[in-house]
Amino acid sequence: KKLFSDHIKQTFELNVYSYKHNVSVNSVTLCTLLTKIVERLPSYNDSLILSFLKGYADGDGTIRNDGGDLGFCPSGKEEAFLIQYLLLRVGIVSNLKVVPPGAIGHYLGREIITKKEKYVLYIYDNENRMRFKSLIGFRQTSKAQSIGNLDQKSRLGGFTKFKYPLGKMVKLARQE
């Protein structure tokens, strides 16, 4: 936390606020800069894309403790399409599940009712799961331990309706 705070202060000359385990930076300039980086992300080389995906996986990546479901929980449709495209760029095929409002799910043993449409990217087949593990992985301890439990069983099945944004992916690929 201190190393991160010092780095932000030195690099961007911004004030960093800390509370318990959280660090925040209030800056319109930094927000604008990060937005521009994300907009240009599809045009970056694979090394930069992998670096971005590693950070994204630590923030919005998910894996069950037993090495089960592996995927991402993007905040919206455009973000889901972008992450799916970036995964495909590095050779990882994912499936997009659209969860409608009112759907019932579970989190830490609690029942959760979805208030608005939610997008979840899953990586099911073993080849892509192992590719994710070797190229991206997780740096957070709990997630890193869970990814170590990935077995040789494919996680195919379970969902029948996927929306593949192939047209959008092709359009993004042509922009490169």
Side-chain angles (χ1 to χ4, degrees):
K1 180 172 117 175
K2 180 163 176 24
L3 182 63
F4 176 77
S5 297
D6 292 344
H7 185 69
I8 292 295
K9 284 179 187 175
Q10 182 180 7
T11 305
F12 298 105
E13 298 176 4
L14 296 170
N15 291 328
V16 178
Y17 305 95
S18 298
Y19 179 73
K20 293 186 181 180
H21 298 292
N22 297 321
V23 176
S24 66
V25 179
N26 297 325
S27 169
V28 173
T29 306
L30 185 58
C31 181
T32 303
L33 176 67
L34 292 174
T35 301
K36 295 292 182 192
I37 289 171
V38 170
E39 287 173 3
R40 299 201 55 209
L41 205 52
S43 66
Y44 293 162
N45 65 40
D46 287 353
S47 176
L48 289 172
I49 287 173
L50 284 171
S51 294
F52 175 82
L53 287 172
K54 286 177 184 184
Y56 191 87
D58 283 337
D60 285 340
T62 179
I63 184 166
R64 277 199 341 231
N65 291 339
D66 63 358
D69 294 338
L70 170 64
F72 295 94
C73 298
S75 63
K77 182 166 56 172
E78 292 300 315
E79 188 176 319
F81 290 160
L82 175 65
I83 298 303
Q84 188 173 40
Y85 171 75
L86 295 176
L87 287 169
L88 195 56
R89 272 274 309 268
V90 296
I92 299 170
V93 176
S94 62
N95 297 308
L96 178 60
K97 178 186 177 193
V98 180
V99 180
I104 298 173
H106 294 86
Y107 179 72
L108 299 175
R110 296 186 335 217
E111 193 172 90
I112 305 287
I113 299 174
T114 308
K115 293 180 182 169
K116 60 181 183 176
E117 193 168 65
K118 177 179 153 187
Y119 299 86
V120 184
L121 288 169
Y122 286 106
I123 301 170
Y124 284 117
D125 71 281
N126 192 51
E127 182 181 333
N128 287 298
R129 290 161 58 86
M130 292 302 144
R131 188 164 177 78
F132 174 88
K133 182 179 177 179
S134 68
L135 291 176
I136 300 169
F138 293 111
R139 290 175 282 198
Q140 289 181 340
T141 308
S142 61
K143 291 179 182 181
Q145 289 171 344
S146 295
I147 203 167
N149 295 331
L150 282 179
D151 55 19
Q152 294 298 314
K153 294 179 183 174
S154 175
R155 299 286 181 191
L156 289 174
F159 300 108
T160 55
K161 293 184 181 179
F162 292 105
K163 292 184 181 179
Y164 296 94
L166 296 177
K168 185 167 182 84
M169 288 181 175
V170 170
K171 194 186 273 186
L172 282 170
R174 288 182 180 156
Q175 289 176 357
E176 293 179 13

